[in-house]
Amino acid sequence: MKTVLMVAEKPSLAQSIAKILSRGSMSSHKGLNGTCSVHEYTGTFAGQPVRFKMTSVCGHVMTLDFLGKYNKWDKVDPAELFSQAPTEKKEANPKLNMVKFLQVEGKGCDYIVLWLDCDKEGENICFEVLDAVLPVMNPAHGSEKTVFRARFSSITDTDICNAMAHLGEPDHNEALSVDARQELDLRIGCAFTRFQTKYFQGKYGDLDSSLISFGPCQTPTLGFCVERHDKIQSFKPETYWVLQAKVNTDKDRSLLLDWDRVRVFDREIAQMFLNMTKMEKEAQVEATSKKEKAKQRPLALNTVEMLRVASSSLGMGPQHAMQTAERLYTQGYISYPRTETTHYPENFDLKGLLRQQANHPYWADTVKQLLSEGINRPRKGHDAGDHPPITPMRSATEAELGGEAWWLYEYITRHFIATVSYDCKYLQSTISFRIGPEHFTCTGKTVISPGFTEIMPWQSIPLEESLPTCQRGDTFPVGEMKMLEKQTSPPDYLTEAELITLMEKHGIGTDASIPVHINNICQRNYVVVESGRRLKPTNLGIVLVHGYYKIDAELVLPTIRSAVEKQLNLIAQGKADYRQVLGHTLDVFKRKFHYFVDSIAGMDELMEVSFSPLAATGKPLSRCGKCHRFMKYIQAKPSRLHCSHCDETYTLPQNGTIKLYKELRCPLDDFELVLWSSGSRGKSYPLCPYCYNHPPFRDMKKGAGGAEARSLLPPHAPQWAGEAAGPRAGPGPAACREAQCQAAEGQDVSAGCLLCMMALPSSPWLQVVVLWAMEIIKTYFVSSRASIWGPFAGVRGLLCPPHPFPHCTSRPYLPTSPFILHTPKCLLSPHPSGACREPTKCESGSCVTPGTKCESGSCVTQADVTGGRPGGGSGAERSAFCPQCSLQLTIQGQTPHSPLSVSEQVRATGSLPGPVLIVVPRQALIVSYRDSPYLTAGSSTRVP
């Protein structure tokens, strides 16, 4: 039996479609990624029995990104991103293992049916799925067709079964248009964003935005908001005067008349007109008219109109409204919410959908009346050729949906019922009056038939007092005549609904991307959403747009992006070549980028007026390791430290608080440590600002955290290295017979974490905890007299900035190479088997203490204690003790270097040429960078 693989865009859609096609008789299980389920059932396909496997992806399988070094801001000129930087498709969410999942499910399948959303993005995902699945499917026989595309607009039995009966092919041209848009947005956006972010964040401290981004659609969107702001700021109110007359129709009623001249801007002239009319006692009727008018029912609902109403009437932002609509769609309550069409096809089952609402408690009477009287054919709108208008597909109640989902569903349903209702009809009556030489008018409306306003009451004709019945020549007494002084008012800030209208009008973005662009300018702190969903630009947004206008207005005007969108649509229609459009557009923006870079001083002049330089921003926090002056902590996004004397800036971890850490200094570069914390109960860790920005060792990423510790383990480490271990981790101290030096028992033995000096328990068995970013990544239980090998192989495994080292009252002793440390052989030759040697008794008279048991199997001789390694050099002697036998050792070396010079050597070479001893209070740490690294805990009474 052959197998048909079917792939939807979301797990919930896959389940709904499989349930419809299998009529509920399917078996389900989770896929290997744990996110997407696989639903299996049997049926017929192409006239033969087959096994169906229905599964899904989670949106885009792949995403476009730059290769390797081109993702590093500091190593690549942004101008290279336009043409020289190669791109690749990589998994959009590596944690989902989507490619492997699709290949596992697709292996051995004979056919594939693509149930991705029926829009351009969906077509693009179709080919991402095919790229993963086709290589593992069974080969086609001859010219047999194996790839099919299902096209549907709603998750209903009728629509899904109809799509399965009329399968087509995926549209490669539409997929290419999405590829072109992705590459254009990536190259153009990254080039401009990287340049202006580095340029301005390196000069100003109160921009309050972690990214000074540019986008071909995002920037014109911001431009609309700033353009309205400029009109408001430049608006100068003018005073004007109007005449207002009131006539009495009977004892208790009066009519307010509107002046036909509307208003005048000269007070003396207004006073003249008032003088000419205020002496008149009667108003004479000049003309009367009555005209029947109609308020048209709405067009069928598309995405843009839905987002407009959601923002203006429901108080929902475009991004949130779109997410809510998508959820209603996947649950089967509404049709596909991304559509530009406002016209129902001729064969659309309007009555069938209307009948589903016939028993709804809110609009059952209106629906039943329409069904009995006959529905009105919807108005002819725009057919974009994508999806039918947004339509309710089944009835739902407020209790069923609740909250904002119900609000949106209720509006969509009322809008649909209104489209098949009749127009609202009303009678408009007008009476023209003459008072002296001036003419006034009064207008009133009377509803004849409410039509669609019955289901959409917010659209109804406002109730007005009916006008009196009169004829030409009738007169009414003038009750009052006065002159009013008023002022012109500026326009208000754009609402989201008005912005959406402007974006649609100028072709900025698509129905799917418009909410994303509006959300981006809010997240970048370019605009803030005020009451009434009005968008007010921030100083940063205003200065950026003014700067673009000053350098190159086309960067912010909608014209150039609108032209690009037209070219992309031509690709989708197969009328334009993908490579030619891509190459031409990138060439245009590359020229604009070079001109922008050369003219950046123009925008910088505007920045200087609105923002403060780094040196004048922030408050002193910690000392610089180079000049030893205080650096200023800048809390505005992105938070960072700035040394005004060295003119250098050091980025810090974001989304947390920073404070000084015990006034400790990093021994590598002498910078004061700071403590990052994510909250009172969140995680926290200390760090060195310099090491955080300039990793001192190879293969360490900038700002690396604890997750990278395991990747830095040496390839030759034993199997247990890098794993959380109990008493058996290490060279097997737990298996030893504790035949340690008896002198160690009962002493005050202590050890500390290399990174934070955290005290460890005092006992014959020490728990050595290795921390990275204050996160425990390894725990070892070792003898108080034992050595530890394993994960500490190589400089990267043990010395791991950006995190701090222990610090003592005096500077740690960091001798230079060659540094000679005489220890028992067992310490220099650890046992890879993980088991201690059987301790043996030294009978040699050459031992320092004859008869002492030495667990290494060899003794420390007098020569070891007093002698030196050939070529070891000479210099000041320092004392230390053998961690195994508590024997005094002689350390020979040259004059110690400062920690900073050692760190410079490490940064230059990536390693040290020999062992290093760091002597700190109550602890001895012995590290070898080549053959046999180990960590020991020594007696606090004997270690200097």
Side-chain angles (χ1 to χ4, degrees), residues 672-793:
E672 280 190 329
L673 307 180
V674 296
L675 181 72
W676 177 88
S677 171
S678 63
S680 58
R681 295 188 178 182
K683 68 177 182 178
S684 62
Y685 58 85
L687 60 103
C688 166
Y690 189 85
C691 292
Y692 187 80
N693 288 267
H694 305 90
F697 309 116
R698 291 192 301 266
D699 302 328
M700 285 188 66
K701 296 179 181 179
K702 182 176 178 181
E708 197 170 337
R710 295 169 179 80
S711 66
L712 297 178
L713 294 178
H716 58 275
Q719 291 182 356
W720 50 263
E723 298 177 359
R728 295 183 182 177
C736 288
R737 298 181 182 179
E738 294 194 48
Q740 313 299 330
C741 297
Q742 299 299 320
E745 293 183 4
Q747 290 189 7
D748 181 17
V749 180
S750 66
C753 170
L754 168 65
L755 302 184
C756 68
M757 277 293 290
M758 184 177 102
L760 299 175
S762 295
S763 67
W765 296 99
L766 296 182
Q767 183 185 28
V768 179
V769 182
V770 182
L771 300 177
W772 188 298
M774 295 304 291
E775 175 187 356
I776 296 177
I777 59 171
K778 298 184 194 10
T779 301
Y780 300 95
F781 293 89
V782 299
S783 167
S784 60
R785 296 288 173 177
S787 63
I788 296 179
W789 185 72
F792 306 111

Side-chain angles (χ1 to χ4, degrees), residues 11-279:
S12 57
L13 278 178
Q15 182 179 11
S16 299
I17 295 171
K19 190 174 182 180
I20 292 172
L21 293 176
S22 67
R23 294 179 174 84
S25 59
M26 63 182 184
S27 61
S28 303
H29 65 272
K30 283 287 185 183
L32 66 86
N33 62 7
T35 301
C36 301
S37 296
V38 181
H39 312 282
E40 299 187 24
Y41 62 96
T42 57
T44 58
F45 184 81
Q48 57 184 323
V50 295
R51 180 170 67 100
F52 288 99
K53 292 173 65 177
M54 182 79 193
T55 187
S56 73
V57 292
C58 295
H60 274 282
V61 179
M62 311 298 287
T63 186
L64 189 69
D65 202 357
F66 293 114
L67 281 172
K69 70 171 186 177
Y70 292 96
N71 278 318
K72 299 178 180 179
W73 288 32
D74 298 330
K75 295 187 177 181
V76 177
D77 181 356
E80 296 181 24
L81 302 180
F82 283 98
S83 54
Q84 300 178 23
T87 59
E88 65 173 344
K89 289 273 190 177
K90 57 177 66 172
E91 284 202 55
N93 190 343
K95 293 182 180 179
L96 291 178
N97 286 321
M98 193 59 70
V99 172
K100 184 178 180 181
F101 165 71
L102 289 172
Q103 289 175 343
V104 168
E105 298 302 331
K107 188 174 182 179
C109 290
D110 301 281
Y111 306 99
I112 182 170
V113 180
L114 301 161
W115 290 85
L116 286 308
D117 289 350
C118 299
D119 56 10
K120 293 175 184 176
E121 296 291 335
E123 297 300 321
N124 190 261
I125 300 174
C126 281
F127 287 91
E128 293 175 355
V129 172
L130 292 176
D131 289 341
V133 173
L134 285 180
V136 298
M137 287 177 57
N138 292 333
H141 300 289
S143 59
E144 183 184 18
K145 184 179 176 182
T146 58
V147 177
F148 299 89
R149 176 73 160 106
R151 303 193 183 279
F152 57 101
S153 297
S154 61
I155 313 301
T156 61
D157 294 15
T158 303
D159 209 8
I160 295 301
C161 293
N162 185 61
M164 190 66 183
H166 300 86
L167 297 175
E169 296 180 2
D171 192 325
H172 190 246
N173 289 327
E174 287 195 350
L176 280 178
S177 72
V178 174
D179 285 338
R181 179 181 284 107
Q182 288 178 347
E183 186 163 351
L184 288 175
D185 290 347
L186 176 70
R187 294 185 181 276
I188 297 169
C190 284
F192 278 91
T193 297
R194 290 185 188 183
F195 171 73
Q196 61 189 24
T197 298
K198 289 174 64 179
Y199 186 88
F200 292 121
Q201 284 188 350
K203 295 189 68 175
Y204 304 102
D206 52 350
L207 297 177
D208 200 25
S209 181
S210 56
L211 203 65
I212 315 299
S213 63
F214 174 94
C217 287
Q218 169 192 302
T219 304
T221 302
L222 174 62
F224 290 131
C225 300
V226 176
E227 182 182 8
R228 176 61 64 89
H229 169 82
D230 292 342
K231 288 180 179 179
I232 295 171
Q233 295 300 311
S234 61
F235 184 84
K236 294 181 180 180
E238 292 185 77
T239 305
Y240 65 90
W241 291 263
V242 299
L243 293 186
Q244 188 179 84
K246 187 182 292 185
V247 298
N248 299 322
T249 57
D250 53 40
K251 292 182 180 180
D252 300 323
R253 294 184 60 194
S254 61
L255 292 177
L256 203 61
L257 309 184
D258 298 321
W259 191 21
D260 285 6
R261 294 184 188 272
V262 184
R263 60 186 178 181
V264 294
F265 289 89
D266 190 314
R267 191 180 191 285
E268 293 183 358
I269 294 178
Q271 186 65 48
M272 178 190 70
F273 286 127
L274 178 62
N275 294 335
M276 294 168 60
T277 56
K278 69 179 181 179
M279 303 304 294

Side-chain angles (χ1 to χ4, degrees), residues 376-396:
N376 191 19
R377 189 67 195 169
R379 291 169 56 194
K380 186 174 178 61
H382 169 65
D383 186 1
D386 48 0
H387 287 272
I390 304 171
T391 309
M393 302 311 295
R394 61 187 174 102
S395 182

Side-chain angles (χ1 to χ4, degrees), residues 1 136 146 157 162 288 327 525 542 643 686 727 843 861 894 925:
M1 184 181 292
V136 298
T146 58
D157 294 15
N162 185 61
T288 62
R327 190 162 60 250
N525 195 34
I542 294 167
C643 178
E843 304 294 346
T861 64
Q894 298 175 356
L925 172 67

Side-chain angles (χ1 to χ4, degrees), residues 483-498:
M483 181 176 68
L484 301 179
E485 180 178 312
K486 297 184 178 181
Q487 276 194 331
T488 56
S489 58
D492 211 335
Y493 286 103
L494 284 178
T495 62
E496 286 174 331
E498 291 169 337

